[in-house]
Amino acid sequence: TRQDTNERLLAGRYRLGGVLGRGGMGTVWRAEDETLGRTVAVKELRFPSNIDEEEKRRLITRTLREAKAIARIRNNSAVTVFDVVEEDDRPWIVMELVEGKSLAEVIREDGLLEPKRAAEVGLAILDVLRSAHREGILHRDVKPSNVLLEHDTDRVVLTDFGIAQVEGDPSITSTGMLVGAPSYISPERARGHKPGPAADLWSLGGLLYAAVEGVPPYDKGSAIATLTAVMTEPMEEPKNAGPLKDVIYGLLTKDPAKRLDDAGARAMFNAVIHAPEPKQIERKPADTTKVVPIPAQPERSSGKGGSGGRRGEEAAEKLRGALRSMRKKAVAAGAAGGSATAT
């Protein structure tokens, strides 16, 4: 009977600990490699209860393909596979443990990425995709939840090659079936056409859009409505992309022949990353305490011989004369009133 509890010893070597994550087809465990004394991640394949033996074989093939695909990619942004063991009649993938959050968790918990950081993430994913494409591998599931941002470093890791398509291998999906997140599936895949590397670049564009906007560019609720929008509707203009706007539009061009390619995207990412920082103008509050020199005082006139002194004396004399005149008129008016009363 398969043990679901932790502390299980897998293949006599890997001691399972806590669960790191669960998906539709598997569980990822934290584990200790007791032979080498290091912490690892172990991906367990889980079978749904209602599938037949043929589908089980398909899922086993898919898991082994994922391990082989990752092992062929030499890139710092690809997770490293250490081992594949078989227990309970199915494979378990032993991988390096990346301590960090997924990009989806970062967006949800910490907020949107600034355009420069989004460009750094985009360039790292572009690097690993280029390495994969050179090996004839299409990821086909590039999305924020499949990108890990390692704590305490700037490392970006693309994970989950579970539905990757490897050139020369038979398809792992049933005829007429489309596997992936609808919001990040390219128009050509949605139409059932054979995808190429440009399909992964479309998904990268959708990931960048989500990183700066918080939502994917096409999300209509249901899978069919979303895929229809991907194929036919214009993209809503991103509001927070800033200098990333052109690369997002380029990667999300519906025609794969006109879509921004690896070289073009790389140049645009580097331009955003290495652009000079805008100078910040520091505005101080109006009531900030300052130390300033005492302003120069105007020279005072001595009052003798100066034209300013003479003008002042003349004005004062005119004012005194006007006051004397007003008093005389008031006295005269009072006397006239008293004489009239006596009469």
Side-chain angles (χ1 to χ4, degrees):
T1 303
R2 178 171 56 85
Q3 302 174 35
D4 291 321
T5 58
N6 58 8
E7 297 300 324
R8 172 181 178 177
L9 188 63
L10 185 68
R13 176 174 178 176
Y14 304 106
R15 181 77 62 182
L16 299 186
V19 174
L20 296 173
R22 297 183 189 275
M25 296 297 177
T27 300
V28 179
W29 299 82
R30 178 188 293 270
E32 187 72 15
D33 181 349
E34 296 188 347
T35 300
L36 297 180
R38 63 182 174 184
T39 305
V40 296
V42 176
K43 185 170 184 178
E44 171 195 9
L45 175 62
R46 286 177 176 266
F47 297 127
S49 58
N50 58 344
I51 66 171
D52 56 24
E53 289 301 316
E54 182 180 352
E55 188 63 24
K56 282 184 180 181
R57 286 193 297 271
R58 189 188 302 276
L59 292 175
I60 290 173
T61 300
R62 168 176 164 173
T63 302
L64 291 174
R65 285 162 54 88
E66 176 183 11
K68 291 178 181 179
I70 299 173
R72 288 170 57 177
I73 300 170
R74 295 287 184 268
N75 191 280
N76 186 52
S77 289
V79 68
T80 302
V81 172
F82 296 139
D83 198 2
V84 177
V85 300
E86 185 173 340
E87 282 206 10
D88 301 332
D89 298 321
R90 65 188 188 280
W92 303 59
I93 304 177
V94 183
M95 304 173 287
E96 68 166 313
L97 176 64
V98 180
E99 298 277 12
K101 293 181 179 180
S102 72
L103 178 57
E105 291 173 321
V106 170
I107 296 169
R108 183 170 61 250
E109 298 172 8
D110 303 331
L112 306 177
L113 268 59
E114 293 294 328
K116 181 178 179 179
R117 179 54 177 157
E120 292 170 346
V121 171
L123 183 59
I125 298 171
L126 188 66
D127 280 342
V128 70
L129 288 177
R130 179 171 65 175
S131 298
H133 295 162
R134 285 175 175 173
E135 294 293 330
I137 299 167
L138 301 182
H139 188 281
R140 303 202 303 173
D141 202 20
V142 177
K143 59 185 179 182
S145 60
N146 282 341
V147 173
L148 295 179
L149 305 182
E150 191 171 39
H151 289 321
D152 303 324
T153 72
D154 291 329
R155 187 180 176 210
V156 178
V157 181
L158 180 62
T159 67
D160 201 347
F161 282 74
I163 65 170
Q165 178 177 313
V166 181
E167 187 176 7
D169 283 355
S171 175
I172 61 168
T173 56
S174 303
T175 303
M177 298 296 291
L178 192 61
V179 180
S183 296
Y184 301 95
I185 290 177
S186 67
E188 60 269 29
R189 284 192 63 206
R191 290 189 172 94
H193 298 166
K194 183 178 179 180
D200 280 344
L201 297 185
W202 166 280
S203 302
L204 175 57
L207 178 146
L208 290 171
Y209 188 104
V212 297
E213 297 297 311
V215 293
Y218 299 95
D219 186 5
K220 303 298 181 180
S222 72
I224 296 298
T226 298
L227 291 172
T228 301
V230 164
M231 291 185 289
T232 62
E233 294 184 12
M235 179 183 70
E236 183 175 346
E237 182 178 359
K239 300 177 179 62
N240 306 307
L244 269 184
K245 183 180 291 187
D246 288 343
V247 70
I248 289 176
Y249 271 103
L251 292 172
L252 290 176
T253 299
K254 294 186 186 297
D255 184 350
K258 299 178 181 178
R259 192 170 300 152
L260 189 64
D261 62 7
D262 177 282
R266 188 173 304 276
M268 296 174 79
F269 281 140
N270 279 311
V272 174
I273 293 169
H274 300 296
E277 295 287 343
K279 292 183 179 180
Q280 299 291 331
I281 300 176
E282 184 179 358
R283 297 185 180 276
K284 296 182 178 180
D287 60 352
T288 300
T289 301
K290 301 177 182 178
V291 177
V292 297
I294 298 175
Q297 300 295 318
E299 293 184 2
R300 293 186 178 183
S301 174
S302 63
K304 295 181 179 180
S307 61
R310 287 195 297 270
R311 285 196 297 269
E313 290 174 0
E314 291 173 358
E317 183 60 33
K318 287 181 180 180
L319 179 59
R320 287 193 290 271
L323 291 174
R324 284 195 295 270
S325 176
M326 290 176 65
R327 283 198 293 271
K328 287 179 181 180
K329 289 181 180 180
V331 171
S339 174
T341 302
T343 305

